[in-house]
Amino acid sequence: MKKDKIIGVGLVLSLIVIVGVSSLFYWAKDTVFANGLVFEGEGYTMQFNQALKADSVTNGAITVTDTAGKVVQAKLTLDAKVLTVENLKAGQYTLTVKKNAYAKAPKLNREQKIPLEVIQKVTALKTEADLKAYFKAYLAIENTRFNNAGGVKEEESADVASESSSENKDSASSPGSSHSSTNNQVEGIEEGDITITDGRYIYTLVDNKIIIVDAKSLKLVKRLAVGKDIYPTHLMKHNDLLIVGYTTYIQTQKEPYYDSKSVSKVAFYDVKNAANPTLVREVGHDGDMNNMRKLGNYLYVVSSKTPNYWMLRENAEVELRPATYDGDDEKLLPVDQIRMLPQSNEPSYLMVSAIDVSNVKSNEWKTESFLGSSGQMYMSEQAIYIASRNVHFWPEIGIGRETTMSSSTSTQREDETTIYKIAVDKTTINMSAQGKVKGSVLNQFSMDEHKGYIRIATTEGNAWGTEANSKNHLFILDKNLKQVGAVNDLAHGERIYSARFMGDKAYLVTFKETDPLFVIDTKDPRAPKVLGELKIPGFSNYLHPIDDNHLLGIGYDTEVRMQEGSKEPLVFTKGMKLSLFDVTDFNNPKEQQAVIIGGRGTYSPVQYDHKALFRDPRNDYYGFPITVYAETDEEDRLKYEGTGSQIYKVTASGITLVADLLEPARPGEQYEDAYNVVQRLLYVDDEFYAVSRLKVTSYDGKTFKKQQMLGF
């Protein structure tokens, strides 16, 4: 079975582009047009394939006229080939670029006429009419895009979001603890997981069921279904309360229009008697659940919702307001309770709810709705941070050549992230600050709050292709999200694969052909600096602190190949790689040891989900589910070896394999059974457990000898 994994194949999606973006189309054989539609107060930027004269924006060679043909006063800004038009009121215009505007005057140059449309953007919400006008503006942009059959493609980052810092060095389960805990980013802030234990029972998700198992006897206690066609995604425990998070879909039929929507819900079960869980309460709000967090007694749920505003084309009465839920009661939020995010740039809602779970039966479910953005989330003890990526594309206008629609191009010119700080104090939720940085974040580990400052690592630009222009940055912002310090332009042509913050230090892994590990000192927020850099083969997708001077990197070994006809090398993943980094000397970081597991095709969920990392701090054990493939003599063919889990002892002295709990491939088995792949590893006292969607298997926690197995 082929399992080629080539790095650099970006996920490219067609998106609705709002600011400074247009679809190109060509009106006649000898004239090039770019059709642009922007919001009032925002600029329209385009790039020509030839430089324009510096005085062309002042001598009448470039003009903007209204529908009556009258020249209007617009702000024209020129930077060689790049022209920006600003300060136009709502209306339709034509941008004219005469032949004498170009720095060079070849015979093929022609006068260009480019239609522009500026529409009014709603900046405050008072009535439902304001809300509909807000979404109609985005609908107009979408209509223009589709009508012109153009389309602009954006590369989407792999996504797939404290004073105590994010350096989770496994103190959440102290040596005296009797059971494992979830590998949370920030100590003391629970994230929820698909499998958890409270030391007596194991709770795990299998399809649409919650399976409850007695950890000691390994007997099935309960199969709990939250509801028909409901597939939970998050589990938490709070004393005798089992907290279950999920997204469900509500279908409503109102002839002749049909509508549906997603709803994030949380069900609270009393599991004091685990064999007979009792539903205490169920609450929710509109949108797809992005994250759950629990800090002490307080639960926070964050979701994103895009209403079906496209239905405004057919039904002016479509409901655009988000709703909250308490049991069977649905309550639409009044328009005056919907907050507009500053510089809102998306036709969607960010929904944030909170509840005190110490008395979940009667405490208030409080919801705040923010219009205009969503993104990666990070939470500290003081705030929830949302990093929303904004990518602006400029149309590139070809001059003096016959061009068709299929050959039109758009170039990514502005890549930035807007950060929203939502202050949380128990169940009080307030938008408190907004800031911007260059580039985009990889995931929640790219952000960290430390001593009142927020640190954020970003990649700007594109790391792949013949026009790779990426660079990486680390920004430090104050409590008001104003930039106070930065390290800019790291690792040109590469992108960030992992980040981790430990105390005053930041560790970044970038990659394209080799794996640089950067050590950055942020002790002085106004003057952060790179202390050291290490380059090794492969890359780390996840960094985990072992102690103050050592990091465990989990990623892949790589191989670089040049193929015939290729202008740049191709990078192939090989086996899974564990790296022990010694950063005792910050100026000279070292890869103390590396362990390669399997060959190309080997994978583990810990590569993309930090909660899949097993930790037993009593014994310095670290483990993860793993599926192993081996390379064969036949080119590009792999051999399935088996699936299961591995446990390592990791200390400052090195990495040692403690237990290889791989279930070997059966004769003729070419690839793994998804239901048999281990999802999580747990321990309770001296028992170790491997949990898949098919079964839970127990082992002696000292010898790792298999003891019992319970099939689901």
Side-chain angles (χ1 to χ4, degrees), residues 407-419:
S407 65
S408 66
T409 59
S410 291
T411 306
Q412 177 180 317
R413 295 296 175 182
E414 296 180 14
D415 183 2
E416 62 185 13
T417 292
T418 301
I419 307 145

Side-chain angles (χ1 to χ4, degrees), residues 608-677:
Y608 55 85
D609 184 355
H610 61 282
K611 289 179 278 190
L613 182 68
F614 166 80
R615 305 152 300 124
D616 181 355
R618 303 170 304 174
N619 300 299
D620 297 317
Y621 287 168
Y622 295 85
F624 40 80
I626 189 166
T627 298
V628 177
Y629 281 80
E631 298 181 48
T632 67
D633 293 335
E634 297 181 59
E635 185 179 1
D636 294 333
R637 292 194 66 85
L638 303 173
K639 179 184 177 184
Y640 170 56
E641 295 283 313
T643 188
S645 59
Q646 291 184 342
I647 310 296
Y648 292 84
K649 186 179 183 70
V650 185
T651 67
S653 300
I655 304 172
T656 305
L657 179 64
V658 173
D660 186 356
L661 305 178
L662 211 66
E663 294 185 7
R666 297 185 296 271
E669 191 175 19
Q670 297 184 356
Y671 51 88
E672 67 278 10
D673 176 358
Y675 273 81
N676 198 38
V677 172

Side-chain angles (χ1 to χ4, degrees), residues 265-374:
K265 288 201 171 183
V266 182
F268 301 94
Y269 288 91
D270 183 341
V271 289
K272 192 171 185 178
N273 179 1
N276 187 28
T278 304
L279 179 63
V280 178
R281 190 178 178 187
E282 190 174 48
V283 294
H285 58 224
D286 278 351
D288 293 291
M289 183 177 292
N290 294 339
N291 284 282
M292 281 174 53
R293 295 289 191 272
K294 187 173 76 70
L295 176 59
N297 291 335
Y298 300 95
L299 178 71
Y300 303 92
V301 180
V302 179
S303 306
S304 59
K305 170 185 171 59
T306 301
N308 292 335
Y309 64 93
W310 57 269
M311 294 185 69
L312 288 168
R313 296 191 186 105
E314 302 173 350
N315 178 15
E317 302 305 316
V318 64
E319 183 58 68
L320 299 171
R321 291 173 295 168
T324 63
Y325 304 85
D326 195 340
D328 294 329
D329 295 332
E330 176 181 357
K331 180 182 178 182
L332 289 168
L333 289 178
V335 173
D336 60 5
Q337 289 184 22
I338 299 174
R339 316 293 182 221
M340 285 195 70
L341 291 173
Q343 298 182 15
S344 59
N345 58 9
E346 291 182 19
S348 62
Y349 294 99
L350 175 68
M351 309 289 292
V352 184
S353 294
I355 188 171
D356 181 349
V357 296
S358 62
N359 185 2
V360 74
K361 188 172 184 179
S362 59
N363 285 336
E364 183 181 3
W365 170 251
K366 298 177 68 174
T367 299
E368 292 289 343
S369 176
F370 303 98
L371 181 60
S373 195
S374 61

Side-chain angles (χ1 to χ4, degrees), residues 215-216 682-689 698-701 707:
K216 291 300 181 183
L682 308 168
Y683 76 83
V684 175
D685 294 331
D686 291 328
E687 299 290 315
F688 172 80
Y689 305 88
S698 67
Y699 301 82
D700 184 294
Q707 294 184 325

